[in-house]
Amino acid sequence: MPVDAARARVHEEGWQSWSPSGVYALGDRPYRPTNDNWATVCYRPGVTVPEGTFQGEGLLALDPGDGSPVRLWAAVDPTCEVPSVRLVVTDGRAEVSADGPVKEWTGTSIQSVLGDWADSLQLTAPRPAPTVWCSWYEYFTAVTEDDIHENLRAMETLDLPIDVVQIDDGYQKALGDWLTLSGRFRSRAGIADAIRARGRRAGIWTAPFLVDPVSDLATEHPEWLVRTPEGGFTHAGRNWGHDLRVLDTTHPEAAAYLTEVFRTLRAEGYDYFKVDFLYAGALDGVRHDTEVDALTAYRSGIQLIRDAIGEDAYLLGCGAPILPSLGLFDAMRVSPDTAPHRRPEADDYSQPGQDPAEFTGAGRRWQHGRLWTNDPDCLMARPAVETRERWAAHVEATGGLMASSDRLLSLDEWGVETTRRLLSSGVAR
């Protein structure tokens, strides 16, 4: 089809939460992985995009720029098959191809045609999101039980409308050993009781499909892990200083273990669950049930978690393959991680930074209220955060899940006022 080289725009939809997604001019260079590890952890593993090619995973939209309708090519059955859709421009003409079935839609703008496609799925409207305080962006993996208590008291002192207090990465001994505490926490049930005693809900983070090779789970149950055709362990990327492995939820004993983990957390009083690094559950590999493909295994793994925590619990996905997650979550992270700084490492727009979080968060605004509640990532309002005013404006503009992630006593007057205002807007929705 003909395109106006100066005015045409292309929307690429990335594979998962952290994959760059958004609109480009024809002369732009789309964001691509800058090393092999990030290609596995943050993009669609095993898929390389040729130079000079736009590519969307299951969704690609084109505004020809000449006044003709915007066109969208969308996966026909996105929870089962997500074709890569490619667009190449040569001599003023765009050629679009896909490696699987797609359906064409037309509309008046890129965001509106994406919204029309989402509306056609007729998913149940998401329930109102709670407001959240999260430990991650202040304490990272060094969080302690005493840190949680300090911030619980500060919420009352500062009169902040926080529904959920979410304990992030750092409470557990290792990835996979979710019910064994690190030395920085005394009692997981005890901290949940303390949170609830102050009239708030207890939330907790897990990465349910990742397994650290030094964990007890990996040592004692190697048969629970996804394998390569050659018999090695499927590689889920390198993080936390280790080459990570994948839990095989098609193995009955592994599935029973994961069910036990989430039933235990629910029984201890946690009813808000952030499940992270979910891309691992959709990696190709040899599973116990050899008849189950990767996307089916991923969806059944999430359903197992939902069954364990109950329909009333709130489920937030992150690092999750976008289209294969339809219908499974209350809220979804729709961008890479934010950070106290703007620019991502190596200028890779899948990596933590305010610039990449804003780019992809804006590109996926059409998903909010249609597929789930969008999670733009946490507000950080302390003075040490670079361009905190601009980041707060982005979080506020999304209209999605509102979460704070500061040591609350480190906030200055602007930080307290902004945190209270954004959380109050979340309560009102």
Side-chain angles (χ1 to χ4, degrees), residues 12 162 271 362 397 417:
E12 290 187 343
I162 293 169
D271 69 352
E417 189 279 329

Side-chain angles (χ1 to χ4, degrees), residues 51-198:
E51 187 71 22
T53 302
F54 294 98
Q55 180 164 307
E57 304 304 338
L59 294 170
L60 185 138
L62 170 68
D63 180 345
D66 59 3
S68 60
V70 172
R71 300 169 81 167
L72 168 69
W73 295 273
V76 172
D77 191 355
T79 61
C80 298
E81 184 177 6
V82 183
S84 297
V85 188
R86 289 181 173 176
L87 183 148
V88 178
V89 178
T90 306
D91 297 330
R93 296 186 68 82
E95 179 180 307
V96 178
S97 60
D99 61 4
V102 296
K103 182 179 179 180
E104 183 176 312
W105 295 69
T106 59
T108 57
S109 71
I110 286 176
Q111 287 281 310
S112 68
V113 75
L114 285 163
D116 290 344
W117 175 80
D119 289 338
S120 76
L121 301 174
Q122 297 184 314
L123 298 174
T124 302
R127 68 181 114 174
T131 58
V132 180
W133 178 86
C134 166
S135 63
W136 179 247
Y137 285 109
E138 180 73 62
Y139 303 99
F140 298 96
T141 57
V143 65
T144 69
E145 186 167 327
D146 290 339
D147 294 327
I148 305 301
H149 284 291
E150 179 197 278
N151 283 280
L152 269 172
R153 294 189 295 269
M155 292 169 202
E156 294 182 355
T157 301
L158 299 174
D159 190 26
L160 296 176
I162 293 169
D163 299 320
V164 173
V165 177
Q166 183 220 309
I167 303 168
D168 213 281
D169 186 10
Y171 69 89
Q172 79 286 354
K173 176 185 175 184
L175 301 177
D177 297 340
W178 301 110
L179 298 181
T180 305
L181 292 175
S182 68
R184 294 180 301 278
F185 279 75
R186 298 178 290 276
S187 170
R188 198 177 44 246
I191 194 66
D193 288 344
I195 292 168
R196 297 168 69 204
R198 292 179 178 266

Side-chain angles (χ1 to χ4, degrees), residues 303-356:
Q303 189 59 55
L304 180 152
I305 293 169
R306 170 57 81 185
D307 291 344
I309 64 176
E311 289 297 327
D312 59 326
Y314 201 86
L315 189 60
L316 164 64
C318 186
I322 292 293
L323 297 192
S325 296
L326 295 174
L328 297 176
F329 293 94
D330 296 297
M332 175 64 71
R333 169 73 71 73
V334 291
S335 68
D337 281 12
T338 187
H341 50 269
R342 290 219 64 87
R343 301 299 298 175
E345 184 180 348
D347 253 4
D348 188 311
Y349 262 49
S350 71
Q351 295 305 293
Q354 294 170 36
D355 282 346

